Amino acid sequence: MITCNGSGNLDAVVLGVDHRLRALSRLTDAEGALVRAYTEKNPAAFKGGAIHVLHSVVDDAVKVYFLVGIEEDSPERGTFREFMYARKIMAAAMDEGVSELAVYIDTLNMDVETLIDGLLYDNYAFNRYKTKVDSKVLKNINLITSSLKSKDFNTLCYVYSSIYECIYLARDLVNMPPNEMTPRKFVDTATSLCKGDAIFVEVLNKWNLEKRNMGGIVSVGKGSMNQPQLLSVAYTGDPESRDVVAVVGKGITYDSGGLSLKSCTGMEYMKSDMAGAAAALGVIRALMLLKYPVNVLAVIPLAENIPSGMSYHVDDIITMFDGTTVEVKNTDAEGRLVLADAVAYAQSKGARKVIDLATLTGACVTALGTVRSGMIGNDQEWMNRFFTAAERMHEKVWQLPADEEYERQLKSETADLKNVGGSDGGAITAGLFIKHFIKENTSWIHLDIAGTAFCEKKDENGYYGATGVGIKTILALLRGDK
Ligand code: BES
Ligand code: MN
Ligand code: ZN
């Protein structure tokens, strides 16, 4: 929970310190003397970027102070650096094992939105499968201010708590192991969460999908006992309008590669191949909480890509929902097949704007690493807005080119398309495969989150696991779309 001027104890305190020690006015005399003495002996505490942890017993209570060095000439507000700084404060608090944190925001000289964002980003742990839990998650973060803006800060706290509740949900779904998080389990979870007036859930099972000729989803799911599903959740926040934005998320609950089997190490973390699906569901949940006046249709194709005697083959030719025929040249390029059906379905349901999110290609990780998601689309103005929203929400993206020359790589000798375009420009050809299923008058953004959805090695703040990337930016974009 995060509150502004809420109740809570002051045993763990975050305080900005500069040379003039203006922050001391917030403290009792005894505390002020302590902090003054410490900083006199440790001038390094004033350095921008420094966080000093000071333990003490003051007025009969055990206290911990997180002294945050403040740069004199106020740096630009709301930057990625500031976001990382806020994350670092949280990581320090979690390391100390405090359960409540009081943050004197007036002393910090930071953009409050970025501060809240960073604090909440790290206040998460996935402990569901540990029999002995020593959770480091803080119960309460209390922002303390004497500013007249405290009402606005309260609203910010509510908005960010709601958004992060949904980010944590998405992270949980991605972190869950694939023996548990099957297509059916995802559908059941979504169905139980998505109830209410403005919400409509539709689930198509394997039989329904076969009947509708959704060859992409059906083929990818053929090898598994856990049958494929197509989940759609419609959120109608503006019933007067017919405008619908579709958010399509890749939901491969496990990607072994299928008959084009991955290597042992290549398979690791492939439980995260449904991160796009989790983000799409997270967006819907956030809309339910925040009640934005927009219409959003989440379309989530779910399947497990596993080899068996029932699997789809390399060389299969499949007919997709929109009638396109596709020659399968690699069963590990499964994401684009399920997404193609899903974006076509979204448009058949009336969406004229489509955002798809997918852990789609290793090539995107090669191109952009784990720092930025790849972006491709057909509407430059909308992509520009997405880029701006992504920067503001500290979820970096970078646009990749989408010249039609690349499309040649997807030509097949025997069908309309093949599902791989060779190793050159792999993230681009994967995106352009999906583009084939986007109608001329539909605005479309494709995000390849293969490098950004799951943190495989602890990052500089010690964060490990699913990130929930995409939710914040899409919500910011939807908020601005109105
Ligand atoms: N899910 C993978 C992409 C991926 C790789 C996500 C690494 C996260 C981390 C995707 O289905 C895949 O296997 N893509 C292939 C495509 C290739 C066969 C054209 C790849 O990137 O190797
Ligand atoms: Mn694959
Ligand atoms: Zn995949």
Side-chain angles (χ1 to χ4, degrees):
M1 191 169 62
I2 184 156
T3 54
C4 185
N5 291 334
S7 56
N9 72 49
L10 300 176
D11 295 345
V13 174
V14 177
L15 206 62
V17 289
D18 58 11
H19 282 288
R20 277 173 285 168
L21 283 174
R22 279 171 296 190
L24 299 194
S25 61
R26 320 268 157 191
L27 304 176
T28 65
D29 290 349
E31 288 180 309
L34 181 77
V35 172
R36 182 183 300 280
Y38 180 84
T39 50
E40 265 166 19
K41 295 265 184 305
N42 272 298
F46 298 129
K47 232 183 118 215
I51 297 174
H52 282 231
V53 184
L54 173 58
H55 296 262
S56 192
V57 177
V58 183
D59 303 328
D60 258 359
V62 177
K63 294 258 199 172
V64 50
Y65 300 91
F66 300 91
L67 304 181
V68 176
I70 299 297
E71 280 167 40
E72 289 288 323
D73 45 350
S74 124
E76 258 185 82
R77 299 288 186 96
T79 57
F80 188 76
R81 231 180 107 217
E82 202 174 60
F83 172 68
M84 291 306 282
Y85 200 16
R87 285 190 53 193
K88 203 168 138 191
I89 296 171
M90 195 57 179
M94 290 174 90
D95 266 353
E96 287 296 318
V98 307
S99 67
E100 285 190 59
L101 193 64
V103 185
Y104 285 93
I105 55 176
D106 301 341
T107 69
L108 282 175
N109 203 16
M110 281 169 89
D111 172 53
V112 179
E113 210 164 315
T114 301
L115 173 69
I116 296 174
D117 196 353
L119 292 174
L120 291 179
Y121 190 97
D122 276 64
N123 195 28
Y124 169 85
F126 184 67
N127 288 324
R128 213 179 276 203
Y129 294 87
K130 288 192 172 160
T131 51
K132 289 190 198 74
V133 178
D134 57 355
S135 177
K136 301 230 155 175
V137 174
L138 274 68
K139 289 193 195 66
N140 189 23
I141 303 165
N142 191 13
L143 308 181
I144 301 174
T145 176
S146 53
S147 154
L148 292 173
K149 282 200 199 139
S150 67
K151 199 163 159 261
D152 298 345
F153 295 156
N154 257 313
T155 311
L156 272 186
C157 286
Y158 174 75
V159 170
Y160 271 88
S161 305
S162 307
I163 294 174
Y164 267 94
E165 188 182 316
C166 302
I167 290 177
Y168 300 159
L169 162 72
R171 289 179 182 175
D172 281 350
L173 299 179
V174 175
N175 285 329
M176 278 171 74
N179 55 334
E180 195 141 331
M181 187 41 66
T182 59
R184 184 74 244 167
K185 174 79 175 187
F186 192 103
V187 163
D188 289 345
T189 311
T191 312
S192 69
L193 289 171
C194 297
K195 291 196 171 108
D197 293 340
I199 283 287
F200 179 76
V201 179
E202 179 197 64
V203 181
L204 302 181
N205 62 21
K206 186 183 173 196
W207 186 78
N208 304 137
L209 293 168
E210 277 169 357
K211 241 181 121 194
R212 285 172 177 71
N213 299 315
M214 298 218 186
I217 304 175
V218 169
S219 300
V220 171
K222 264 166 83 177
S224 175
M225 297 276 284
N226 297 310
Q227 298 194 343
Q229 313 275 339
L230 180 64
L231 166 69
S232 306
V233 188
Y235 165 83
T236 311
D238 183 7
E240 311 287 278
S241 164
R242 291 170 58 93
D243 291 350
V244 179
V245 182
V247 179
V248 178
K250 174 179 175 183
I252 299 299
T253 57
Y254 195 69
D255 183 13
S256 71
L259 289 181
S260 311
L261 196 63
K262 287 183 184 294
S263 67
C264 303
T265 48
M267 230 176 270
E268 224 183 331
Y269 307 113
M270 278 305 136
K271 65 173 183 179
S272 68
D273 214 16
M274 35 64 76
L281 182 61
V283 167
I284 292 287
R285 277 292 294 165
L287 292 171
M288 291 170 68
L289 296 174
L290 297 170
K291 303 197 165 44
Y292 288 177
V294 292
N295 301 322
V296 175
L297 175 67
V299 179
I300 302 177
L302 295 152
E304 192 175 69
N305 189 20
I306 285 279
S308 79
M310 297 289 284
S311 293
Y312 77 135
H313 317 97
V314 173
D315 285 347
D316 276 358
I317 293 178
I318 59 187
T319 304
M320 311 293 280
F321 179 60
D322 80 341
T324 303
T325 57
V326 176
E327 185 182 13
V328 176
K329 279 299 179 191
N330 189 322
T331 62
D332 197 11
E334 83 297 336
R336 61 199 78 184
L337 297 173
V338 300
L339 287 166
D341 278 349
V343 297
Y345 187 69
Q347 291 167 99
S348 80
K349 289 283 170 186
R352 288 292 161 266
K353 282 182 161 184
V354 175
I355 301 171
D356 81 78
L357 298 97
T359 44
L360 202 60
T361 63
C364 189
V365 191
T366 304
L368 300 175
T370 56
V371 175
R372 286 184 182 263
S373 307
M375 173 170 74
I376 277 182
N378 64 359
D379 179 340
Q380 192 58 48
E381 198 265 332
W382 201 32
M383 280 192 285
N384 292 348
R385 280 202 283 144
F386 194 96
F387 181 87
T388 308
E391 289 290 308
R392 191 154 51 78
M393 302 318 286
H394 314 300
E395 294 188 319
K396 297 180 180 186
V397 304
W398 202 255
Q399 188 178 336
L400 302 173
D403 307 79
E404 58 186 6
E405 290 93 308
Y406 292 106
E407 285 174 31
R408 276 205 297 266
Q409 291 172 234
L410 294 169
K411 283 217 173 100
S412 157
E413 299 294 334
T414 36
D416 299 336
L417 284 177
K418 60 180 178 179
N419 76 331
V420 283
S423 57
D424 293 350
I428 299 168
T429 51
L432 289 178
F433 182 91
I434 298 168
K435 185 177 177 210
H436 181 92
F437 300 85
I438 299 290
K439 293 185 190 154
E440 200 129 335
N441 55 357
T442 303
S443 285
W444 164 70
I445 290 176
H446 159 67
L447 286 176
D448 195 330
I449 55 171
T452 51
F454 196 90
C455 197
E456 297 179 9
K457 281 191 238 81
K458 281 190 178 187
D459 72 7
E460 64 217 81
N461 285 314
Y463 188 82
Y464 165 87
T467 61
V469 72
I471 296 176
K472 273 192 292 184
T473 304
I474 292 175
L475 288 170
L477 189 74
L478 290 170
R479 197 166 44 212
D481 267 1
K482 265 275 133 185

